Amino acid sequence: MKILHTSDWHIGRTFHTHSTLDHLRVVLDALAAAVREQGIDVVLVAGDVFDSSMPSADAMTLLSDAFRSIRAAGAEIVVTSGNHDSITRLGFHSEWIRHAGIHVLTQHHSLDEPVALEDEHGTVHFYGIPYLEPSLLRHHYPETDLRTHEQALAFAMSRINADRASRGGRSVVLSHCFTADVAASDGVERDITSGGLDLVPAGVFDGPDYVALGHIHGRARLSERVRYSGAPLHYSFSETDKLRGGWLVELRADGLGDVTWLELPVPRRLTQLTGELDALLTDAAHAEHEGDWVKAVLTDQVRPMDAMRRLQQRFPHCVALEYRPTVVADVIAASYGDRVKERTDAEIVGEFLSFVRNGVGPSDYERGLVHELLTEQDLREVTA
């Protein structure tokens, strides 16, 4: 059996206020084409199918189109929910669409009831663990201590492993969680918790032939049999260097076989350009990035006026701007009163300009203008 492990589609997410639906459609169309070309039997989506618990009509349409294309290409689909999903909306009609080969697993009470799919070697059991929030789960199982994500996942896996033992055969688990093994990774969908209570040791998932994880946006290999696939699109500039795709997993008669990376297209690259504004606008070396999503880091000593508009004239998809001058004024510990003591008004204005412009003092024109204004003020005071 050939399985494609994906996760974190985040249908409906915007990128710096820009819709990503058209780009995600390109990627999911490519995924369906890969299903046909590679002879993939099952596509997994390990949570965060949508970016919102109340997805738009366009997001729902994109999901329906993607599922239709994948099914037409020959693969069954197994999905579980993530922290961004509404289990009610995502799981709506799950009882009926399973007859169409689309299996949506969102309920904690049935996480040990697998989807059974057949190949030439027998049955493979697929278990879906939805995102388990301990505070919402514990009242269903008052006899069990469920204060942390680790306890919740251990409880879920104990039920799954008991069911696996009774059924026998090969098995795959989908789960949406954050393992301690990737605590330093970028692109993590963090929860507001304290003391690391949201961390789950990878050892919790001992047992199944393969564990398909979701929740971080970059691929990660915790072991041969426990992996994150990451998201199909780049959703922040911190993800720029992360590959987009999914794990192509082969299950043989005796369990896990080869696991290889299936790369998916990137409809628009992410690029960070650093330098002074005039250089970014004129350097021919940046021509190849004119169609990219661009984050510009400006190093000018004086903050340029109207920088974003000027950048977008060359880079229409410039969506982020950061000002990071190469020369930064030293921090002065003295109080304002001490700094201006025995200074003329013109010197005080000059020091202020130097402070707010990272060490760049007034120009000759500005000195002349300040002198003119201060002279006029002195004349007014004399004649008043």
Side-chain angles (χ1 to χ4, degrees):
M1 183 177 289
K2 282 189 176 181
I3 302 167
L4 180 59
H5 165 200
T6 74
S7 72
D8 295 273
W9 289 10
H10 284 283
I11 302 174
R13 174 168 285 198
T14 58
F15 183 75
H16 293 269
T17 75
H18 295 266
S19 172
T20 61
L21 288 177
D22 288 342
H23 288 175
L24 186 56
R25 184 178 292 276
V26 170
V27 176
L28 295 179
D29 285 347
L31 188 156
V35 167
R36 182 176 291 107
E37 294 164 3
Q38 300 278 347
I40 294 169
D41 302 296
V42 185
V43 172
L44 310 180
V45 189
D48 280 354
V49 179
F50 293 112
D51 191 59
S52 167
S53 62
M54 298 183 67
S56 67
D58 289 340
M60 296 290 291
T61 297
L62 177 55
L63 180 65
S64 296
D65 292 346
F67 280 177
R68 185 183 303 111
S69 298
I70 292 169
R71 288 295 293 125
E76 298 218 17
I77 303 167
V78 181
V79 181
T80 193
S81 54
N83 55 304
H84 281 248
D85 297 310
S86 162
I87 61 173
T88 302
R89 286 181 173 83
L90 183 61
F92 187 61
H93 285 330
S94 60
E95 180 180 358
W96 311 112
I97 63 175
R98 68 184 180 186
H99 298 294
I102 302 170
H103 310 275
V104 182
L105 311 175
T106 63
Q107 300 298 326
H108 62 85
H109 56 76
S110 57
L111 57 81
D112 53 357
E113 298 173 14
V115 173
L117 300 179
E118 305 290 330
D119 67 4
E120 65 271 24
H121 304 299
T123 304
V124 179
H125 297 107
F126 292 83
Y127 298 87
I129 305 177
Y131 181 78
L132 299 177
E133 175 54 55
S135 62
L136 301 178
L137 183 68
R138 64 173 70 106
H139 72 278
H140 294 286
Y141 308 95
E143 72 286 356
T144 306
D145 190 8
L146 298 174
R147 292 175 295 105
T148 68
H149 283 258
E150 179 180 355
Q151 291 170 333
L153 267 295
F155 173 65
M157 283 302 301
S158 68
R159 290 171 51 188
I160 288 172
N161 284 330
D163 188 78
R164 288 179 52 252
S166 66
R167 295 178 188 272
R170 296 161 294 165
S171 60
V172 173
V173 168
L174 293 76
S175 181
H176 194 84
C177 66
F178 179 29
T179 65
D181 307 70
V182 292
S185 297
D186 291 331
V188 174
E189 291 292 310
R190 294 189 182 277
D191 298 320
I192 303 176
T193 56
S194 61
L197 298 182
D198 56 338
L199 305 184
V200 179
V204 163
F205 296 106
D206 288 347
D209 293 285
Y210 185 76
V211 178
L213 298 179
H215 201 30
I216 70 169
H217 290 180
R219 70 174 187 178
R221 173 187 171 276
L222 278 60
S223 70
E224 282 300 314
R225 42 174 294 282
V226 182
R227 300 173 188 247
Y228 285 95
S229 64
L233 283 182
H234 292 112
Y235 289 116
S236 77
F237 282 98
S238 66
E239 303 170 12
T240 302
D241 297 328
K242 299 183 185 301
L243 296 176
R244 302 290 87 171
W247 292 111
L248 187 55
V249 180
E250 182 181 350
L251 283 188
R252 298 171 180 163
D254 57 349
L256 185 64
D258 295 332
V259 181
T260 56
W261 181 249
L262 177 67
E263 192 165 345
L264 292 172
V266 176
R268 178 170 287 134
R269 296 180 305 176
L270 274 66
T271 298
Q272 177 173 304
L273 300 177
T274 301
E276 295 188 357
L277 178 60
D278 287 343
L280 298 186
L281 295 175
T282 58
D283 193 339
H286 299 319
E288 64 177 301
H289 303 300
E290 291 175 358
D292 298 354
W293 293 119
V294 170
K295 175 182 178 180
V297 179
L298 300 183
T299 60
D300 304 70
Q301 284 186 264
V302 178
R303 186 186 296 269
M305 297 292 290
D306 208 12
M308 179 60 88
R309 183 190 63 81
R310 294 168 65 190
L311 284 163
Q312 288 177 340
Q313 290 178 339
R314 183 178 188 187
F315 308 102
H317 306 292
C318 181
V319 294
L321 180 62
E322 181 180 339
Y323 180 52
R324 195 188 302 163
T326 53
V327 177
V328 180
D330 294 334
V331 176
I332 301 174
S335 69
Y336 177 76
D338 291 336
R339 296 202 306 273
V340 302
K341 189 180 299 183
E342 298 180 358
R343 296 289 185 97
T344 66
D345 289 344
E347 289 173 335
I348 291 173
V349 173
E351 288 293 328
F352 173 77
L353 291 175
S354 179
F355 176 75
V356 299
R357 299 195 305 203
N358 295 288
V360 179
S363 64
D364 290 340
Y365 169 77
E366 290 169 335
R367 289 192 187 90
L369 182 61
V370 169
H371 176 75
E372 179 181 337
L373 293 172
L374 291 175
T375 300
E376 289 179 3
Q377 179 65 25
D378 290 341
L379 289 174
R380 290 194 195 99
E381 292 175 355
V382 169
T383 60

